[in-house]
């Protein structure tokens, strides 16, 4: 048998380079970084936006439509969030597209508060949500 017909040992992959910064140590397999206060605030802002859209749908529409909009608006927002913004997003997108979709959900909740006659709640939520979004977005890009 010639040497060309003999199977050879596959090439071994090169080891991954060590972490570039000491601030980001390698985590053991199956674990993730602990949650920070910014992560928790971002989660609270998400939940507040979804609940706001449900309240808006149930409170601002006449009877047959309030059920449709009260359930449909937060479901649509959750679907968009899961597709593009979630940490385990189904469709990975550029970070700026991710930020735009996040801002779109927060803006819809803000406009909903304005439509319900509570502009200060909308403004306060918008300031908190955008601040938390900018901080968490900068951490992801760093």
């Amino acid at each position: 048998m010639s040497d060309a017909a003999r199977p050879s040992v596959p090439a071994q992959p090169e080891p991954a380079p060590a972490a570039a910064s000491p601030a980001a140590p390698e985590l053991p397999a199956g674990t993730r970084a602990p949650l920070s206060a910014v992560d928790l605030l971002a989660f609270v802002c998400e939940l507040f936006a979804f609940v706001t859209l449900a309240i808006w749908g149930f409170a601002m529409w006449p009877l047959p439509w309030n059920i449709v909009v009260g359930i449909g608006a937060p479901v649509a927002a959750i679907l968009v969030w899961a597709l593009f913004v979630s940490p385990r997003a189904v469709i990975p997108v550029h970070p700026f597209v991710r930020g735009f979709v996040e801002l779109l959900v927060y803006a819809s909740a803000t406009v909903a508060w304005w439509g319900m006659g509570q502009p200060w709640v909308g403004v306060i939520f918008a300031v908190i949500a955008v601040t938390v979004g900018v901080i968490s977005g900068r951490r992801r890009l760093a």
Side-chain angles (χ1 to χ4, degrees), residues 33-46 132 136 139-140:
L35 293 176
S36 68
V38 174
D39 297 329
L40 293 175
L41 279 173
F43 181 68
V44 169
C45 286
E46 296 165 26
V132 169
S136 65
R139 284 181 42 208
R140 278 191 299 272

Side-chain angles (χ1 to χ4, degrees), residues 50 53-59 61 65-75:
F50 301 147
L53 293 173
I55 292 170
W56 171 77
F58 285 119
W61 292 81
W65 293 108
N66 69 342
I67 296 170
V68 173
V69 177
I71 295 172
V75 166

Side-chain angles (χ1 to χ4, degrees), residues 60-122:
M60 299 304 293
W61 292 81
L63 183 51
W65 293 108
N66 69 342
I67 296 170
V68 173
V69 177
I71 295 172
V75 166
I78 290 169
L79 179 65
V80 167
W81 195 276
L83 287 174
F84 302 108
V85 182
S86 167
R88 296 180 184 174
V90 176
I91 303 171
V93 294
H94 192 274
F96 292 110
V97 174
R98 185 181 191 278
F100 178 75
V101 172
E102 186 175 357
L103 186 63
L104 183 68
V105 171
Y106 291 156
S108 64
T110 300
V111 169
W113 280 111
W114 277 66
M116 290 187 286
Q118 301 293 328
W120 286 110
V121 176

